[in-house]
Amino acid sequence: MTNGWTVVEANDDIDIAFAPVVRAAVIRRLAEGHRHFVLDLCNTPFLDSMGLGMIVAVAKRIKTRHGSLRIACSDEWLLHVFSLGGLRHVYSFHDSVEQAIAQPPVRRGMPVGRAGATDGPILR
């Protein structure tokens, strides 16, 4: 956890095969008490409708836990995919993880969560 944010890196295509892996990683961290996430798409080469659906689903789940989600992505093609899905103005986009974590999350009466060892290569 960095500055109150749990960073989930997605370094592969977020499609029917990898979207469930990212979803499971976020859900596992939520269960551990983490609430505020940055989804790092800076090295994600491809995102399809399954990936978009997964992001919508985890964002809703994070919100029910009084958390927040920021997305680190500067790739114009991926940002275009979010625009096509009508999601470009729904989420907080940042050009880098460093930019996304620069400000700590706003606490809404819930603890940020516990810092701990990462679980697998996509979490830090």
Side-chain angles (χ1 to χ4, degrees):
M1 191 157 40
T2 306
N3 202 22
W5 295 99
T6 300
V7 178
V8 178
E9 293 178 78
N11 295 325
D12 203 345
D13 295 344
I14 301 182
D15 55 14
I16 195 166
F18 194 60
V21 174
V22 176
R23 181 179 182 275
V26 172
I27 290 170
R28 183 172 41 255
R29 297 303 267 185
L30 276 168
E32 293 171 356
H34 296 263
R35 299 288 175 259
H36 303 284
F37 293 84
V38 173
L39 180 57
D40 179 1
L41 303 181
C42 292
N43 294 312
T44 301
F46 177 78
L47 175 74
D48 68 5
S49 60
M50 184 72 168
L52 285 177
M54 176 274 302
I55 292 168
V56 169
V58 299
K60 287 180 181 178
R61 192 170 218 150
I62 290 167
K63 187 175 182 178
T64 65
R65 300 284 183 106
H66 306 282
S68 55
L69 174 68
R70 292 180 178 173
I71 299 174
C73 176
S74 61
D75 183 279
E76 289 300 319
W77 188 86
L78 290 181
L79 293 172
H80 182 67
V81 172
F82 280 98
S83 293
L84 290 174
L87 301 172
R88 183 67 172 92
H89 300 289
V90 173
Y91 299 107
S92 175
F93 288 88
H94 303 270
D95 289 336
S96 67
V97 171
E98 292 75 22
Q99 186 185 70
I101 65 171
Q103 296 294 319
V106 176
R107 292 190 171 103
R108 298 178 194 147
M110 296 288 290
V112 171
R114 299 178 306 217
T118 61
D119 187 12
I122 64 168
L123 294 175
R124 65 177 150 118

